[in-house]
Amino acid sequence: MSKKIVMLGGDGVGPEVMDVAYDVLKNMELGFEILKPPCGEMALSKYGTALPDETIKLCKEADAVLFGAGEKVSTPILVFLRWEMDNYVNIRPVKYYPGASTPLKDAEGIDFVILRENSEGLYPWGREGDIARLAEKWPDWRDGLLGKGFKDYGTGKFAIRIVTESGTDRMMKFACTYTKKRKESGHLGKLTCMTKSNVLPESDGLFQGIAETEIKRYPELSYEHFYIDDMCRRLLRYPKDMDVIVTSNMFGDILSDEASELVGGLGIAPSACIGGETPYFEPVHGSAPKYANRGVINPTAMILSAKMMFDHFGMEDEAKALEKAVSEVYREGKYLTQDQGGRATTKEFGDAVIRKLG
Ligand code: IPM
Ligand code: MG
């Protein structure tokens, strides 16, 4: 299958994990065209921007983008990949590979997915400001409970959380079809909606309501709803009961970091951002500057993000082969990185995966 892939290493540990992904893809001899245009801190010093126009153009023309991680200067990369390209679904699998370092007594069988609405909620940047501005622009507004106006709050800041009907609707349509597909491949077929609708009955009430309308069209699926506080606890206690969790942007951000620890931590957690112009795939972890250029970072999250790209392309055999190679390296435990209690370098782990691919 001929595909054009753009690799954006980004900053911090991003380029290192991307080097491993590059070696893995090259080794699989897929006939992909792989481009590595400038981006991030390196591009900033040379072109005066973390995201040069030429890089944007290549991303738009590509079949997929692989992104490593970005520091603050790379915020424009994230804004472009998520919002300008409108990749509104963020898929964050949480799956245990025996051999990975888990704090649980028995993590075998943990295999669920967090679907994070990726376009609205408290994101993107820019909907914050001084309460005084709100008080001035909206003098007659009163909150529903105490009847306070903005000026009664005194000096401070506000943030606006947006939940739209159309944004939630497209998310829930995706969530239901995704859960159905998982059921067809042997999973529970359960959608768990997570909100804080007890405190946010309007915004999260809308989110939950649309989930409940959409799921009715799928009598073959089961459904439940939990508040996020309850969910944080359930995730630790009953992780094997989870199948597909759908939630809003920031809750998904928070819960996916927590969930990653069940199965080995952020070094293992991949993600896919899809639904928009060009899909992109990135580890859940950030740029982790303190681990950069030391050869210690775990490239699993990046490798498994490439596996998610194969899934997205419908390249089932390649996805399975790559996942199997990764899981064998964990099962053997000889080439694990520091975060997993091993001593292998980033490259040694990657090479071990490549050897397993044969
Ligand atoms: C993530 C990250 C980002 C987010 C940051 C870097 C803005 O934490 O992808 O999970 O909050 O979405
Ligand atoms: Mg995050």
Side-chain angles (χ1 to χ4, degrees):
M1 203 183 276
S2 160
K3 295 281 181 194
K4 196 190 255 189
I5 311 297
V6 169
M7 288 188 165
L8 305 178
D11 309 315
V13 297
E16 287 169 72
V17 294
M18 193 60 81
D19 283 348
V20 172
Y22 180 82
D23 291 345
V24 168
L25 289 192
K26 274 280 163 205
N27 193 271
M28 290 180 83
E29 295 178 356
L30 304 157
F32 283 6
E33 184 186 347
I34 300 178
L35 304 167
K36 294 169 141 184
C39 75
E41 278 165 357
M42 265 155 58
L44 186 67
S45 49
K46 205 161 156 203
Y47 304 92
T49 164
L51 189 63
D53 287 347
E54 181 60 16
T55 302
I56 293 180
K57 184 166 168 276
L58 292 173
C59 289
K60 288 190 168 176
E61 290 164 3
D63 293 294
V65 173
L66 290 177
F67 179 47
E71 272 287 283
K72 277 196 184 118
V73 298
S74 294
T75 301
I77 303 179
L78 211 61
V79 172
F80 167 67
L81 292 172
R82 283 193 196 169
W83 288 278
E84 283 170 35
M85 297 228 273
D86 198 23
N87 282 309
Y88 65 92
V89 177
N90 188 191
I91 309 174
R92 296 191 154 180
V94 181
K95 183 167 177 180
Y96 180 65
Y97 298 100
S101 156
T102 170
L104 301 183
K105 254 191 264 153
D106 176 21
E108 195 123 10
I110 295 181
D111 183 355
F112 64 90
V113 176
I114 297 172
L115 297 179
R116 167 188 183 193
E117 200 293 320
N118 217 23
S119 71
E120 47 188 53
L122 280 161
Y123 291 79
W125 292 259
R127 286 196 310 273
E128 292 187 297
D130 289 322
I131 295 176
R133 251 184 90 200
L134 272 187
E136 183 194 310
K137 296 267 175 217
W138 204 355
D140 55 352
W141 183 88
R142 295 288 175 273
D143 70 41
L145 191 68
L146 300 172
K148 275 167 93 170
F150 290 121
K151 76 169 179 4
D152 302 323
Y153 284 92
T155 313
K157 304 281 184 184
F158 68 86
I160 289 179
R161 183 167 180 269
I162 300 266
V163 180
T164 68
E165 282 180 20
S166 60
T168 310
D169 195 58
R170 65 181 184 174
M171 186 65 200
M172 294 311 171
K173 286 196 160 69
F174 178 86
C176 289
T177 50
Y178 185 87
T179 309
K180 187 174 170 204
K181 259 191 231 138
R182 273 191 47 108
K183 183 167 188 187
E184 284 157 10
S185 61
H187 292 277
L188 289 172
K190 178 168 75 171
L191 183 67
T192 304
C193 180
M194 181 178 77
T195 73
K196 190 71 184 169
S197 61
N198 50 348
V199 177
L200 300 166
E202 299 238 7
S203 51
D204 265 2
L206 179 69
F207 193 87
Q208 182 183 349
I210 293 177
E212 289 169 9
T213 303
E214 191 58 26
I215 196 75
K216 286 208 178 80
R217 301 176 54 215
Y218 296 82
E220 69 275 37
L221 302 180
S222 53
Y223 171 84
E224 61 194 5
H225 170 271
F226 296 117
Y227 300 128
I228 178 168
D229 45 349
D230 185 23
M231 190 68 188
C232 288
R233 155 193 96 74
R234 281 173 189 275
L235 212 60
L236 302 181
R237 181 66 67 177
Y238 313 111
K240 293 176 201 172
D241 290 355
M242 304 299 164
D243 184 11
V244 180
I245 298 168
V246 66
T247 192
S248 54
N249 212 338
M250 194 168 279
F251 291 166
D253 175 47
I254 297 167
L255 202 81
S256 54
D257 273 34
E258 183 204 351
S260 78
E261 286 302 339
L262 299 172
V263 296
L266 284 175
I268 292 179
S271 90
C273 295
I274 64 168
E277 212 176 325
T278 306
Y280 89 96
F281 303 84
E282 65 172 343
V284 172
H285 66 69
S287 61
K290 82 171 184 207
Y291 297 114
N293 304 314
R294 289 171 42 200
V296 297
I297 196 74
N298 185 349
T300 306
M302 189 74 242
I303 296 173
L304 290 176
S305 298
K307 178 248 171 210
M308 293 184 79
M309 174 178 78
F310 294 150
D311 283 327
H312 186 77
F313 288 160
M315 297 172 67
E316 240 176 71
D317 294 346
E318 288 80 358
K320 281 207 179 103
L322 186 50
E323 184 178 36
K324 185 161 171 274
V326 169
S327 74
E328 279 173 9
V329 173
Y330 275 92
R331 199 178 285 280
E332 276 180 21
K334 273 199 281 185
Y335 295 98
L336 300 184
T337 45
Q338 273 179 21
D339 59 315
Q340 302 300 313
R343 286 198 305 199
T345 63
T346 306
K347 184 166 174 0
E348 282 164 355
F349 179 92
D351 290 346
V353 172
I354 289 170
R355 282 196 298 277
K356 290 291 178 201
L357 281 164

